[in-house]
Amino acid sequence: MRQLLDRFFSATGYLAGLFMVGTLLSVLASILGRLHPVFDLPGADAYAGYCMAISAFLALAPTLRRGEHIRVTLILSALSGRWKKGMEVWALTFASALSCLFAFYSCRLSWQSRMFNDISTGSDATPLWIPQIGMAVGTVILAIAFVDELVLELRGQRVTLSSDEPLRNE
């Protein structure tokens, strides 16, 4: 089961990368449309935005699994033993509950957009439930990742990735 979940989270990371390529292609199509009016793709800017948002949401779970989300460890670094484990369990429980709510309401938003035939206001008139599916799928996968992290922490099998580097950005 562990290997299946790890492969699943990796696959969503690769899928997020594909949507980033989709963002690039949409921006290039928009630029080409401005340079050559014959090659006009209505809504290319909107499609770039949809691809970027889907990419961001699909990348949430793989980023969590790699330990790349921003964490404020000031309190955790001062704790040890049972207190530290208790704080980790509390934080992961809270994050799991919050991500499950986020997933529920993201799915609900997508479903309501489908039921009300909500469309974008741009010239492309895209049904909004189509790009919202990416958000819903990404939040559901994030909720699965948080629950998985909580279960691993409760079992004592969670590996926390820590770096000697003060910051991971340059």
Side-chain angles (χ1 to χ4, degrees), residues 75-91 153:
I75 296 172
L76 282 175
S77 63
L79 298 174
S80 63
R82 290 185 349 188
W83 286 100
K84 185 172 185 173
K85 183 170 177 76
M87 186 62 83
E88 285 280 1
V89 169
W90 178 84
E153 181 68 31

Side-chain angles (χ1 to χ4, degrees), residues 4 10 25 34 40 82 102 104 123 137-139 141 143:
L4 180 67
S10 292
L25 294 176
R34 288 185 188 114
D40 186 30
R82 290 185 349 188
F102 193 23
F104 172 77
S123 61
V137 168
T139 56
I141 295 170

Side-chain angles (χ1 to χ4, degrees), residues 38-58:
V38 176
F39 185 76
D40 186 30
L41 181 63
D45 293 336
Y47 296 136
Y50 299 150
C51 286
M52 188 182 310
I54 292 169
S55 175
F57 278 99
L58 288 177

Side-chain angles (χ1 to χ4, degrees), residues 43-116:
D45 293 336
Y47 296 136
Y50 299 150
C51 286
M52 188 182 310
I54 292 169
S55 175
F57 278 99
L58 288 177
L60 288 173
T63 306
L64 174 70
R65 296 291 298 159
R66 290 187 51 173
E68 297 290 331
H69 280 282
I70 296 172
R71 288 180 50 130
V72 179
T73 57
L74 184 65
I75 296 172
L76 282 175
S77 63
L79 298 174
S80 63
R82 290 185 349 188
W83 286 100
K84 185 172 185 173
K85 183 170 177 76
M87 186 62 83
E88 285 280 1
V89 169
W90 178 84
L92 287 169
T93 301
F94 184 74
S96 296
L98 199 60
S99 64
C100 285
L101 283 171
F102 193 23
F104 172 77
Y105 284 107
S106 295
C107 292
R108 183 175 163 187
L109 175 69
S110 181
W111 178 258
Q112 285 178 340
S113 292
R114 172 75 173 104
M115 297 308 299
F116 298 138

